[in-house]
């Protein structure tokens, strides 16, 4: 058996020798040396002997006769023993390495050359033995020298250490990339290399054995290193062995990096790319192209890149690492650049939510301006720990907005716009004014965007709000626009050089200034309470007049015409039309004509263009009266206006000859209304007026106009133009005399009576009839009388009937006959009184004497002298109006309606006002202003009260002025909070004299026409002069007190009125509910009132039934556009309220007996 085994081994050795002889030493070398001896190789027929060949030789030699390969092609190649050679580079470095099977190797190479002996020494070294052991453990293919002669071995063996390493690398590379599998002895396919058969330290040792010799690096070529990269022998941070050719970059960490801490930041996929850099492999990894990264590079490439996708815990670790290592990290410009692009800054979103954003999306809270603007937006600043000083220092480097550039300023402006916060707008504009140079923009893009943002705080109507730049005015133009445009405060006004860029128009356009003029002059009393705190009315209008004077030629003809007819020139507290304004007046005709104030002297060119003249002419007086008539309408002149009009009429009459043609003239009628003089009549026949039988067609001139003035103005006498006639065709039916008419007729014809009437006629300036005609007078009692009044034309031709009531008269004088409807006289009216009245009318004597004459007619002749003593107490019916406005005389009823309390207005010299002589007395009298004064503060005013009284001074709060008559028409529809004058006896019947008004009316009070609103306004004015104001609570208390005082003062009238209302309400309740609460269909009180499409209210149930069969309105019978029903909550609430109050009202009625 031994002989047979020896023969087999010899055959195998020869076969191998033959194959090797075909391989040139220069073209191929052994990659490794077998470490098994002949005996070991023959232990088992199935055991493989390994051959480590170059990269072109992959052979597995079995102890048997078969050659197995990992596939049929390889098997075929190996069977045929086709070994391709490759030239191996030689290395001068002759390193000694021992081989694994030392004895066997020595026995085979005895007798060889010296170079072969050196190789033998190398192969017998401990490092080679260890290499052989490690390669064997991982099942690396190797050749067994048993099959080769010493000479063949010498040819096969590599001749130096470099070649050996290369051979090992080639073999391992082939096994990794090509010969990846093999068949086990049991026929199972297995991995060619078994790396798990050795531990990590052994793998590191294998690497070192391949790449180092005796502590020095082996000079491997780049191709050798490429083969080494394919081997899975490098340890990653996951402690896995990986190759360097797995489609990803590999890195190592610098020595100063804490691997454990940095590992916490990296996901598993990233850790796989990092190799654990071991000191002995450092140079090798560098040669293999493995980049060693600094901590900044690791964070930049792998942490910041993946930061948005990292778990929250890893994000916190990364942020803490950046904070603690910032002193070294900030030196890396690439790292800092990456930080700027990474959303790693905490930002608050909502109450408890935190998100991460880039640093340049947030503001630095250390910037006071940004902190003020975004104080209500914590989401604009770093949140949580990033609000600390250390973090803010870092964030400011990576883009946290600390400096306010154009972009940030626009953000701030839009934030102000969003919040609508004027205070922040003030801060914004103040910053802009202080740093406007930093915002200069050649392209104007910044300012164009800024001008579209509503962020400019400006004052309008006393309130500060936000506007756009293009919608505001600057302080220097304030006087020109404050009623039209909001004005930015002086402290934050933009520099003038920026006006154009921001869209600010300065000076404003002509249209804006014209609107300002219109607003300032819209109300006649706009200057009475001048509350503009930046200048007086004269200063404002001076600025406006300067602007208009400079731009007058640019105005259209229509605008110029409107300016000429509009009251735009302030004189004191009055706005005056240019037609009433003159550069020179010989006398004060205010408030009718005015002289140009000195403050406006510089604008004479404009004023002349508007129509202001040097002095008035005759036609100016007439035209001004006509204009006043247009302004006044049906309103009454106040006492100042009345006196001025009369003065103008006197001037007009004096200079009428200067005018070639007489214009239409207007004069005040009896009620103080301006009327065409052609329709006015002098009241020389008061008996025609006092019976109230004349229609309103008859207009009487005011009694203050003298007879001579009326004559100059062409105003006719009433008695000459109006006559009473019996109605045509009417014949009075004579009734029998009851006996008293004869006695009256005798007294009427008596000399004593005639003498008394003659005396009265001599006092009358109008009558021209003779009293002797009384001797022919006759008296007749008739059934009734029908008379009419005819107003003849100026030329005496037939006129118009001005009768108001043809059946109202109870007596009439025709020729010498007095007709009396005696049986219709009211109780208390005697025939004597009626006859006396007829005598007064006939002889044009005031009816005030009728009582005395009646007594004469009813008496005997002996008592005639005693009765005549009382004649002097009559005949003064017009005294009240004649003395209207006279200092010391009681205020007339007409002026009581115009009285007002304005303590802060300007009082003009010569103005008539009203005062109370005694604070405890309610009576008011006229007073004359001797020295002008007043204005925005309470002041003392010099007055004269009565012709015999000395001058006195009163505080303006004690002086009552009169509203302009021109305001009556404009306010006649306004519900004034005034007390009814007649209810408190402030106005007596016209038949009562002025003295009776004062003496018999102790309840006459000034506060009557001065309403609560006026009193509160006066208090507000007083407080405003002291820079104080009423708060709402105090004002409400005062108003309540005033109401209470009025209620107490007038309790009787109030109770009487309440009783009347209760009676009326009781009657309504007794008669049924008002129609508004009844359904038009059912006529029952509505339970669910709804509004139908016709606009009327019905009960829902009734109208729904109606609409089921009808398309027309049940009330109007018109086609309904729809069937929609809308609840009428107002009516419903009223019905509910009424229902709850019915019992209370009925109880009230029952208590007071109002059934």
């Amino acid at each position: 058996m031994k002989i047979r085994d020896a023969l087999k081994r010899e055959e195998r050795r020869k076969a191998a020798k033959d194959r090797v002889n075909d391989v040139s030493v220069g073209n191929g070398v052994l990659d490794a040396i077998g470490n098994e001896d002949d005996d070991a190789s023959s232990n088992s027929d199935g055991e493989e002997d390994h051959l480590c060949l170059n990269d072109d030789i992959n052979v597995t030699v079995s102890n048997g006769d078969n050659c197995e390969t990992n596939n049929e092609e390889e098997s075929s190649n190996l069977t045929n023993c086709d070994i391709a050679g490759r030239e191996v580079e030689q290395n001068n470095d002759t390193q000694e390495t021992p081989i694994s099977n030392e004895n066997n190797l020595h026995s085979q190479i005895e007798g060889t050359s010296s170079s072969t002996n050196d190789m033998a020494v190398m192969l017998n070294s401990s490092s080679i033995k260890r290499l052989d052991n490690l390669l064997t453990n991982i099942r690396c293919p190797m050749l067994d020298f048993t099959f080769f002669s010493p000479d063949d071995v010498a040819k096969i063996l590599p001749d130096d250490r470099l070649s050996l390493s290369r051979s090992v690398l080639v073999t391992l590379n082939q096994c990794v990339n090509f010969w990846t599998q093999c068949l086990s002895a049991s026929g199972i396919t297995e991995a060619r290399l078994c790396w798990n058969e050795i531990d990590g330290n052994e793998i590191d040792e294998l690497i070192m054995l391949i790449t180092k010799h005796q502590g020095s690096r082996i000079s491997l070529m780049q191709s050798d290193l490429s083969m080494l990269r394919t081997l899975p022998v490098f340890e990653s941070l996951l402690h896995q062995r990986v190759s360097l050719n797995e489609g990803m970059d590999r890195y190592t960490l610098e020595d100063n990096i804490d691997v454990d801490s940095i590992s916490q930041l990296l996901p598993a996929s990233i850790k796989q790319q990092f190799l654990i850099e071991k000191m002995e492999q450092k140079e090798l990894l560098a040669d293999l192209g493995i980049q060693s990264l600094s901590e900044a590079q690791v964070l930049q490439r792998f942490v910041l890149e993946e930061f948005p996708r990292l778990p929250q815990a890893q994000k916190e670790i990364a942020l803490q690492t950046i904070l603690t290592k910032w002193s070294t990290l900030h030196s890396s410009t690439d790292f800092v650049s990456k930080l700027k692009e990474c959303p790693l800054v905490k930002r608050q979103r909502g109450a408890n939510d935190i998100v991460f954003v880039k640093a340049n999306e947030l503001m630095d809270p250390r910037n006071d301006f940004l902190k003020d603007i975004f104080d209500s937006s914590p989401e604009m600043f770093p949140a949580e720990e990033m609000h600390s000083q250390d973090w803010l220092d870092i964030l400011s480097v990576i883009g946290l907005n600390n400096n306010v550039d154009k972009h940030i300023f626009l953000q701030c402006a839009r934030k102000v716009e969003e919040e609508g916060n004027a205070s922040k707008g003030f801060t914004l504009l103040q910053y802009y004014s202080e740093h406007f140079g930093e915002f200069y923009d050649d392209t104007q893009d910044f300012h164009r965007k800024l001008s579209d943002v509503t962020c400019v705080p400006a004052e309008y109507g006393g309130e500060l709000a936000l506007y756009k730049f293009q919608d505001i005015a600057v302080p220097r133009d304030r006087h020109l626009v404050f009623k039209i445009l909001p004005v930015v405060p002086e402290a934050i006004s933009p520099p003038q050089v920026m006006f154009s860029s921001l869209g600010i128009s300065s000076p404003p356009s002509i249209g804006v200034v014209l609107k300002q003029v219109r607003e300032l002059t819209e109300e006649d009393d706009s200057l009475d309470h001048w509350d503009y705190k930046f200048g007086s009315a004269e200063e404002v209008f001076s600025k406006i007049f300067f602007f208009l004077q400079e731009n007058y030629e640019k105005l259209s003809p229509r605008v110029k015409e409107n300016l000429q007819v509009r009251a735009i020139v302030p004189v004191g507290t009055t706005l005056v039309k240019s037609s009433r304004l003159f550069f020179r007046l010989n006398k004060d005709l205010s408030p009718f004509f005015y002289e140009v104030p000195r403050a406006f002297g510089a604008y004479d060119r404009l004023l002349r263009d508007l129509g202001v003249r040097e002095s008035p002419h005759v036609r100016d007086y007439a035209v001004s009266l006509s204009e006043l008539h247009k302004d006044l309408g049906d309103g009454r002149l106040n006492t100042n206006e009345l006196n001025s009009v009369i003065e103008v009429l006197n001037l007009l009459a004096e200079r009428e000859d200067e005018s070639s043609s007489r214009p239409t003239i207007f004069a005040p009628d009896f009620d103080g209304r301006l009327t065409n003089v052609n329709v006015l009549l002098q009241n020389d026949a008061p008996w025609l007026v006092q019976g109230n039988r004349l229609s309103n067609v008859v207009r009487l001139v005011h009694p203050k106009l003298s007879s001579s003035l009326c004559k100059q103005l062409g105003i006719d006498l009433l008695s000459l133009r109006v006559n009473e006639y019996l109605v045509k065709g009417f014949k009075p039916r004579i009734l029998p005399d009851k006996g008293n008419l004869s006695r009256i007729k005798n007294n009427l014809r008596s000399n004593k009576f005639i003498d008394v009437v003659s005396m009265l006629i001599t006092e009358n300036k109008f009558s021209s009839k003779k009293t002797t005609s009384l001797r022919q007078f006759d008296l007749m009692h008739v059934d009734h009388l029908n008379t009419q009044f005819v107003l003849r034309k100026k030329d005496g031709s037939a006129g118009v009937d001005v009768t108001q009531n043809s059946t109202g008269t109870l007596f009439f004088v025709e020729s010498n006959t007095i007709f009396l409807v005696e049986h219709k006289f009211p109780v208390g009216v005697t025939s004597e009184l009626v006859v006396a009245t007829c005598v007064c009318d006939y002889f044009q004597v005031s009816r005030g004497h009728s009582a005395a004459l009646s007594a004469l007619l009813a008496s005997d002749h002996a008592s005639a002298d005693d009765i005549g003593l009382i004649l002097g107490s009559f005949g003064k019916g017009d005294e009240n109006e004649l003395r209207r406005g006279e200092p010391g005389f009681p205020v007339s009823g007409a002026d009581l309606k115009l009285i007002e309390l304005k303590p802060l207005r300007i009082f003009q010299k010569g103005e008539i006002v009203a005062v109370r002589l005694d604070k405890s007395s309610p009576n008011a009298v006229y007073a004359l202003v001797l020295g002008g004064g007043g204005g925005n503060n309470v002041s003392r005013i010099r007055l004269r009260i009565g012709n015999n009284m000395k001058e006195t001074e009163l505080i303006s709060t004690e002086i009552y002025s009169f509203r302009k008559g021109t305001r009556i028409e404009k306010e006649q529809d306004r519900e004034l909070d005034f007390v009814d004058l007649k209810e408190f006896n402030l106005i007596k019947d016209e038949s009562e004299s002025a003295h009776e008004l004062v003496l018999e009316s102790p309840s006459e009070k000034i506060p009557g026409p001065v309403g609560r609103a006026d009193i509160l306004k006066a208090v507000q004015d007083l407080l405003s002069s002291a820079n104080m104001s009423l708060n709402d609570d105090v004002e409400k208390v005062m108003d309540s007190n005033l109401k209470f005082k009025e209620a107490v003062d007038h309790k009787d009238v109030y109770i009487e009125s309440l009783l009347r209302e209760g009676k009326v309400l009781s009657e309504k309740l007794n008669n049924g509910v008002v129609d508004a609460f009844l359904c038009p269909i059912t006529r029952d009180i509505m339970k669910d009132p709804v509004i139908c499409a016709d606009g009327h209210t019905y009960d829902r149930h009734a109208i729904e039934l109606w609409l089921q069969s009808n398309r027309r309105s049940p009330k109007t019978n018109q086609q309904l556009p729809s069937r929609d029903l809308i609840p009428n909550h107002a009516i419903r609430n009223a019905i509910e309220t009424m229902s709850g109050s019915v019992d209370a009202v009925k109880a009230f009625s029952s208590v007071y007996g109002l059934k």
Side-chain angles (χ1 to χ4, degrees), residues 335-366:
F335 175 72
V336 173
S337 298
K338 189 65 178 178
L339 278 180
K340 294 179 179 180
E341 300 300 323
C342 181
L344 53 74
V345 186
K346 290 183 178 181
R347 178 186 201 169
Q348 183 174 339
R349 183 178 65 183
N352 302 311
D353 194 12
I354 295 293
V355 295
F356 291 88
V357 298
K358 296 179 182 179
N360 61 3
E361 297 181 28
L362 299 179
M363 308 295 176
D364 192 339
R366 297 172 296 182

Side-chain angles (χ1 to χ4, degrees), residues 876-888:
K876 299 181 179 179
D878 294 334
E879 185 176 0
N880 191 29
E881 280 298 323
L882 287 172
R883 302 189 65 182
R884 181 181 174 190
E886 180 179 329

Side-chain angles (χ1 to χ4, degrees), residues 968-1020:
I968 295 177
E969 181 184 22
K970 297 178 182 178
E971 298 184 358
Q972 59 186 1
D973 296 331
R974 184 168 64 108
E975 292 187 3
L976 300 177
D977 192 18
F978 290 166
V979 182
D980 188 349
L981 300 177
K982 290 186 178 180
E983 288 185 356
F984 298 97
N985 298 322
L986 290 180
I987 297 179
K988 289 289 184 178
D989 293 337
E990 294 182 1
S991 61
E992 293 181 345
S993 67
H995 293 295
E996 291 172 336
L997 174 66
V998 177
L999 298 176
E1000 298 181 11
S1001 304
S1003 60
E1004 179 181 359
K1005 298 180 181 180
I1006 287 299
V1010 180
R1012 294 190 303 274
D1014 288 338
I1015 294 176
L1016 288 176
K1017 181 63 176 174
V1019 174
Q1020 289 282 19

Side-chain angles (χ1 to χ4, degrees), residues 859-1144:
S859 66
D860 55 20
H861 298 298
S863 59
D865 292 337
D866 295 331
I867 295 174
L869 294 176
I870 65 173
L871 292 179
S873 61
F874 304 101
K876 299 181 179 179
D878 294 334
E879 185 176 0
N880 191 29
E881 280 298 323
L882 287 172
R883 302 189 65 182
R884 181 181 174 190
E886 180 179 329
F889 192 78
V891 176
S892 70
D895 283 335
L896 278 175
K897 296 181 180 180
L898 300 175
I899 205 167
E900 63 183 358
L901 177 63
K902 288 190 175 181
L904 300 186
R905 70 182 296 272
I906 296 176
F907 292 90
Q908 303 289 338
K909 181 179 180 182
E911 180 180 358
I912 297 175
V913 295
V915 297
R916 284 188 294 176
L917 295 177
D918 186 357
K919 295 293 190 301
S920 61
S921 172
N923 299 329
V925 296
Y926 291 107
L928 181 68
V929 177
L930 299 179
N936 293 329
N937 297 306
V938 176
S939 57
R940 290 186 173 274
I941 307 297
R942 287 193 306 117
L943 303 172
R944 189 180 74 211
I945 307 174
N947 293 327
N948 298 326
M949 293 185 63
K950 296 181 179 180
E951 295 181 6
T952 185
E953 285 188 356
L954 293 179
I955 299 176
S956 56
T957 56
E958 301 176 298
I959 302 174
Y960 299 87
S961 55
F962 300 102
R963 290 196 309 277
K964 292 185 178 181
T966 54
R967 294 183 57 192
I968 295 177
E969 181 184 22
K970 297 178 182 178
E971 298 184 358
Q972 59 186 1
D973 296 331
R974 184 168 64 108
E975 292 187 3
L976 300 177
D977 192 18
F978 290 166
V979 182
D980 188 349
L981 300 177
K982 290 186 178 180
E983 288 185 356
F984 298 97
N985 298 322
L986 290 180
I987 297 179
K988 289 289 184 178
D989 293 337
E990 294 182 1
S991 61
E992 293 181 345
S993 67
H995 293 295
E996 291 172 336
L997 174 66
V998 177
L999 298 176
E1000 298 181 11
S1001 304
S1003 60
E1004 179 181 359
K1005 298 180 181 180
I1006 287 299
V1010 180
R1012 294 190 303 274
D1014 288 338
I1015 294 176
L1016 288 176
K1017 181 63 176 174
V1019 174
Q1020 289 282 19
D1021 290 342
L1022 295 175
L1023 291 177
S1024 297
S1025 66
N1027 293 324
M1028 297 185 294
S1029 63
L1030 285 176
N1031 59 42
D1032 292 340
D1033 293 337
V1034 175
E1035 184 174 354
K1036 290 178 180 178
V1037 170
M1038 289 189 64
D1039 186 62
S1040 299
N1041 288 341
L1042 290 171
K1043 290 180 180 178
F1044 179 77
K1045 184 177 183 301
E1046 289 180 359
V1048 171
D1049 291 341
H1050 314 311
K1051 58 184 180 299
D1052 294 336
V1053 176
Y1054 174 74
I1055 293 175
E1056 182 181 351
S1057 175
L1058 183 61
L1059 292 174
R1060 287 199 304 268
E1061 292 177 1
K1063 183 176 181 180
V1064 173
L1065 184 56
S1066 177
E1067 291 175 354
K1068 288 184 177 179
L1069 291 174
N1070 291 330
N1071 294 333
V1073 186
V1074 293
D1075 288 343
F1077 298 160
L1078 301 180
C1079 175
I1081 299 176
T1082 64
R1083 300 304 296 170
D1084 293 329
I1085 297 177
M1086 292 180 284
K1087 297 180 180 179
D1088 186 7
V1090 294
I1091 302 174
C1092 188
D1094 62 356
H1096 295 284
T1097 300
Y1098 306 89
D1099 195 15
R1100 182 184 293 275
H1101 179 69
I1103 190 63
E1104 286 179 347
L1105 290 177
W1106 172 274
L1107 293 177
Q1108 289 178 3
S1109 58
N1110 292 275
R1111 291 288 297 177
R1112 293 183 176 273
S1113 167
K1115 195 160 186 177
T1116 65
N1117 201 33
Q1118 299 295 320
Q1119 189 76 19
L1120 292 173
S1122 72
R1123 296 188 180 184
D1124 296 337
L1125 302 175
I1126 303 173
N1128 192 333
H1129 298 293
I1131 293 295
R1132 185 187 188 97
N1133 294 337
I1135 293 174
E1136 292 175 353
T1137 301
M1138 178 208 69
S1139 300
S1141 304
V1142 165
D1143 294 339

